Amino acid sequence: MGGLALGLAAPRTIRAQGAWRPTQTVRIVVPAAAAGTTDIMGRLLAPVLQERWGQPAVVDNKSGAGGTLGTAEVVRAKPDGHTILVGNIGPQAIAYSLFRNLPYRPEQLVPVSNMIRGPNALMVHPSVPARTVPEFIQYLKDNPGKLNYCTSGPGQSGHLSAVWMQQLTGTQATAVHFRGAGPAMLALVGGDVQFAVDNLTTAVEQIRAGKVRALGVTSAERNAQIPELPPMRETMPELAEYDVSTWFGAFLPAGTPEAAVLELNAAIKVLLEMPATQRRFAEMGGVPAYGTPAEYAAFVRAETEKWGSVVRREGLQMDIG
């Protein structure tokens, strides 16, 4: 994010500190199952808020429907700063063009700050013979429609990353949706599905342990944690425009007082500047992604437009059942 913007915003944030404090337990809604990156972000944030605000901060996992169930619950919550959503690229960007019956709109949430950004990784079960991205694409072409891939939910980053990969390479596979990254990874490790394109931040430990074989990352650059993995866009001409980074950040219900928005933003900035947080992010293969509320709102709008074009090109429309 731009240094100038951060510099201009800092005095306002500092003045806001102390202007708002919660008066009861703070609920951090994680619209995904335990063990995924969204859950990790909520559990890193909770103790910082508790120490800073002097009120209990509890994480509440509300998984299902690609993160839209938990999001809808936050949208309905009283906008007093006591209910926080740790959202992500799926329900906060992709969902708006993917789901016909989405029960909320972008204007019903206030973006507070991004928290972490990182690539996805293309991973296969060890039984899959491919050891490079081109070999895997050829394997898909040789087995049209026969391979299954897991996702952390319909409309999540891993789902649309795989869809876009298939669009660009002219391949076909079947999505199997789970209620979060943790259950999806268990399916891949267990061989219930053949591949996945999902968050490196969630999968890095399984990759290092050899439980899954990673072939490449979705970002434009290599990742410092697993530098041997090439960006997929560098592996074959068909993927030259392929560039995906996933992200996770905080939102509040529309109508939340500005003082509460700024105070949460300031608390997130503190969390992201802590050496322990930066070490944890590095272990996960992600980077801190602080932004002012205005910067984060602009970023989310751009991401919504980007993925809307992928969804429309695919003609992909789903109902939340």
Side-chain angles (χ1 to χ4, degrees):
M1 300 281 182
L4 176 60
L6 293 181
L8 291 174
R12 186 183 189 194
T13 302
I14 291 169
R15 284 199 302 272
Q17 291 179 18
W20 180 87
R21 284 293 187 271
T23 57
Q24 61 193 57
T25 297
V26 175
R27 181 176 171 230
I28 302 172
V29 175
V30 169
T37 307
T38 319
D39 181 64
I40 292 170
M41 291 302 101
R43 295 183 189 281
L44 288 175
L45 179 61
V48 172
L49 297 186
Q50 191 160 304
E51 180 178 352
R52 184 179 175 90
W53 291 348
Q55 293 285 352
V58 298
V59 173
D60 188 2
N61 293 87
K62 294 288 183 180
S63 63
T68 64
L69 293 183
T71 298
E73 191 161 319
V74 172
V75 164
R76 294 191 297 265
K78 187 176 180 180
D80 60 2
H82 290 88
T83 303
I84 299 165
L85 173 70
V86 175
N88 62 62
I89 188 174
Q92 273 59 74
I94 295 169
Y96 295 118
S97 55
L98 179 64
F99 293 113
R100 279 182 289 256
N101 58 338
L102 194 66
Y104 57 87
R105 298 304 307 155
E107 58 270 17
Q108 292 179 280
L109 290 169
V110 178
V112 179
S113 175
N114 212 344
M115 295 173 70
I116 188 172
R117 176 175 52 80
N120 290 333
L122 171 60
M123 300 164 286
V124 299
H125 185 265
S127 63
V128 174
R131 293 188 173 274
T132 66
V133 175
E135 286 179 2
F136 178 67
I137 297 302
Q138 187 59 52
Y139 187 69
L140 280 176
K141 290 180 177 179
D142 292 343
N143 297 275
K146 295 180 181 178
L147 273 67
N148 296 327
Y149 64 96
C150 59
T151 85
S152 56
Q156 287 284 8
S157 172
H159 178 203
L160 270 292
S161 293
V163 166
W164 193 17
M165 177 189 74
Q166 292 171 76
Q167 287 178 354
L168 295 173
T169 59
T171 52
Q172 182 183 0
T174 302
V176 180
H177 302 298
F178 291 84
R179 294 173 70 96
M185 179 55 71
L186 286 175
L188 180 60
V189 170
D192 298 327
V193 297
Q194 288 73 53
F195 75 100
V197 188
D198 212 350
N199 310 146
L200 180 62
T201 50
T202 299
V204 65
E205 292 180 7
Q206 285 79 9
I207 294 171
R208 286 178 176 146
K211 295 179 179 179
V212 298
R213 183 189 308 129
L215 305 182
V217 292
T218 63
S219 54
E221 319 83 21
R222 290 178 185 254
N223 186 273
Q225 283 303 298
I226 309 187
E228 66 273 18
L229 289 184
M232 291 171 62
R233 65 186 299 174
E234 292 182 1
T235 63
M236 52 194 306
E238 295 93 325
L239 293 171
E241 65 179 280
Y242 194 72
D243 181 7
V244 181
S245 288
T246 191
W247 47 268
F248 304 81
F251 296 79
L252 289 165
T256 299
E258 184 182 22
V261 175
L262 293 176
E263 173 55 33
L264 177 57
N265 180 274
I268 290 171
K269 191 170 191 291
V270 169
L271 168 66
L272 299 184
E273 290 175 349
M274 292 168 57
T277 302
Q278 295 178 2
R279 286 194 296 271
R280 180 77 171 98
F281 283 15
E283 291 169 0
M284 295 164 62
V287 295
Y290 170 79
T292 65
E295 288 173 327
Y296 190 37
F299 172 79
V300 171
R301 282 194 300 271
E303 286 286 282
T304 301
E305 293 170 5
K306 170 185 175 178
W307 288 105
S309 67
V310 173
V311 170
R312 287 188 294 272
R313 189 160 61 237
E314 183 73 4
L316 188 63
Q317 287 276 280
M318 304 177 70
D319 288 314
I320 299 173

